[in-house]
Amino acid sequence: MPIVDIHTHVYPPSFMDLLRSRTAVPYIRTFPPDTSSRLIILPGEDAPSNPSTSRGRPIGPDYYDISKKIEFMDKHHIDISVISLANPWLDFLPSNEAGPIAERVNNEVNELCNQYPGRLFAFGALPLSASREVIVEEIVRLSEMKYVKGVIMGTSGLGHGLDDLGLDPIYEALQEHRLTIFLHPHYGLPKDVFGPRVSDYGHVLPLALGFPLETTIAVTRMLLSGVWDRFKTLNVLLAHSGGALPFLAGRIESCINHDSHLLNARKSGGQRSIWDILKNNIYLDAVIYSHIGLKSAVDASGSDRVMFGTDHPFFPPLDTHGDSWPSVQMNYRAIQDAFDGNPKAAEDVLGDNAVRILKLSF
Ligand code: URA
Ligand code: ZN
């Protein structure tokens, strides 16, 4: 049985050069007297009031050197990784630059996979600030690339979120070319909800809560706008086990069924239920660090739709001496605990589902 990591990121070398050349978020630079390069991807992370050692995160070869990815895989018994550009992807690029840069980055990622045949596959990135035509052209190109199995996307879409009807040509092209969307958070929640002491708690509030709630809201907006009524075979893989979606699905469904505005608006055609979509269009990763959350994901979508991931190179050990990453061990442990007595389901989540769903041939 192969072990497959479907949630694992990379900034390929040309993207690193781009980040190093920039002075506005996202960018990479040093903050003297500290000499380490820091990756600043979220607005405000570089505020002068933050000590230099807590601005963004240190960025080393784990983020861009593909041989480090293979080393990490070997260390953690991972046979195959489906690599994806890390946030904020290409979202920030000016419209006229997005298309050519997407081509370059996607070619580079496909070429990284080619260096390790059978061990690496990829989710491509879309030039979402470009015109619809350019985005669709890139989708078609990605669908012809040997190692590309889907696209990674944030929650902003064309700038108005994923319930924007302007995205229909994009959803249509992705459905037609059978490319799975890997939906991943980046923007979090408005800073105000975390209060004035947010930075006293490092990155915990935005990462532990902002990220998953962002995903939950984005996917609920897709559902409410009828994306899956119009694109019945569009597949979306949700990061971090769908945020709070598995836990809140019943409440979302109940609110829909008790809303008279929605009832009137929907007279022309029924909206598919959230449970139907969870079991037919949504896949969930297993990056949730506890068997409790994992069981909820499996209850919502089925053990045939949940897939192991690591989020490498994020969440490295704080103690650099450790050989195996605790963040990875926690996700292995969650699978072991959730499927005690059901080894087939554990094997499905660890790799067999990914091979079948993403059609990984090796
Ligand atoms: N932090 C990020 O910015 N991205 C991830 O994927 C994980 C943690
Ligand atoms: Zn991630």
Side-chain angles (χ1 to χ4, degrees):
M1 177 218 54
I3 294 186
V4 183
D5 178 359
I6 53 84
H7 188 153
T8 180
H9 303 293
V10 66
Y11 290 117
S14 75
F15 197 83
M16 287 293 294
D17 291 343
L18 176 67
L19 292 177
R20 286 197 186 100
S21 74
R22 290 172 51 84
T23 52
V25 175
Y27 66 89
I28 293 171
R29 58 162 281 200
T30 56
F31 292 93
D34 192 74
T35 52
S36 65
S37 288
R38 315 275 312 178
L39 169 68
I40 310 292
I41 43 180
L42 299 171
E45 275 187 333
D46 51 353
S49 53
N50 287 346
S52 60
T53 46
S54 67
R55 290 188 202 154
R57 54 207 59 64
I59 181 163
D62 272 341
Y63 283 79
Y64 53 81
D65 179 347
I66 201 67
S67 71
K68 291 281 181 189
K69 180 75 73 189
I70 300 290
E71 225 175 81
F72 167 85
M73 290 165 64
D74 290 343
K75 191 184 284 178
H76 296 91
H77 317 290
I78 294 163
D79 299 290
I80 301 172
S81 286
V82 187
I83 56 176
S84 49
L85 185 65
N87 48 304
W89 314 284
L90 310 174
D91 289 9
F92 58 93
L93 293 172
S95 182
N96 61 326
E97 292 176 22
I101 291 180
E103 253 188 60
R104 191 175 72 208
V105 167
N106 287 326
N107 288 349
E108 203 173 352
V109 167
N110 194 55
E111 185 44 41
L112 292 176
C113 298
N114 200 35
Q115 289 176 26
Y116 296 92
R119 294 213 68 190
L120 297 179
F121 294 89
F123 291 107
L126 296 181
L128 289 170
S129 54
S131 67
R132 307 290 136 84
E133 293 72 28
V134 169
I135 304 171
V136 170
E137 270 170 35
E138 189 61 12
I139 291 172
V140 175
R141 234 178 52 81
L142 285 168
S143 73
E144 292 161 355
M145 290 173 85
K146 183 163 179 192
Y147 299 102
V148 172
K149 300 296 173 180
V151 297
I152 186 162
M153 235 170 83
T155 60
S156 66
L158 306 175
H160 304 287
L162 302 184
D163 53 355
D164 176 3
L165 295 177
L167 278 165
D168 275 10
I170 316 300
Y171 291 142
E172 188 172 5
L174 291 167
Q175 173 176 264
E176 181 188 339
H177 293 284
R178 296 198 169 86
L179 289 171
T180 297
I181 298 175
F182 177 19
L183 177 57
H184 191 291
H186 168 70
Y187 300 94
L189 297 179
K191 209 165 174 249
D192 279 359
V193 304
F194 298 126
R197 297 194 59 195
V198 59
S199 55
D200 291 355
Y201 316 125
H203 288 111
V204 172
L205 289 171
L207 286 183
L209 300 177
F211 263 32
L213 292 173
E214 174 193 351
T215 307
T216 311
I217 293 166
V219 70
T220 305
R221 284 172 56 181
M222 284 177 81
L223 171 94
L224 288 169
S225 71
V227 166
W228 285 289
D229 295 304
R230 300 194 295 288
F231 305 102
K232 293 198 167 57
T233 60
L234 179 69
N235 292 322
V236 180
L237 163 62
L238 301 180
H240 315 125
S241 298
L245 188 72
F247 189 78
L248 292 179
R251 183 171 179 85
I252 295 166
E253 182 82 344
S254 170
C255 287
I256 291 171
N257 291 340
H258 291 89
D259 193 294
S260 58
H261 173 77
L262 275 192
L263 186 68
N264 292 331
R266 276 199 272 128
K267 284 227 164 84
S268 51
Q271 194 153 9
R272 290 174 59 199
S273 90
I274 193 165
W275 302 112
D276 171 10
I277 290 159
L278 275 162
K279 290 205 154 57
N280 290 291
N281 300 89
I282 286 179
Y283 301 114
L284 303 169
D285 75 18
V287 184
I288 191 72
Y289 309 96
S290 154
H291 65 281
I292 295 181
L294 186 59
K295 280 183 176 173
S296 177
V298 166
D299 282 350
S301 285
S303 61
D304 56 339
R305 306 182 71 80
V306 177
M307 297 179 260
F308 174 73
T310 62
D311 225 344
H312 178 260
F314 294 98
F315 306 109
L318 294 181
D319 146 22
T320 50
H321 307 296
D323 222 24
S324 176
W325 288 28
S327 57
V328 179
Q329 287 165 10
M330 284 172 83
N331 282 316
Y332 271 132
R333 182 68 196 259
I335 293 172
Q336 206 177 53
D337 290 350
F339 299 116
D340 191 23
N342 188 353
K344 158 85 171 68
E347 289 185 4
D348 284 351
V349 171
L350 284 169
D352 286 349
N353 289 342
V355 169
R356 186 191 76 251
I357 292 164
L358 298 174
K359 300 186 177 59
L360 310 179
S361 43
F362 50 94

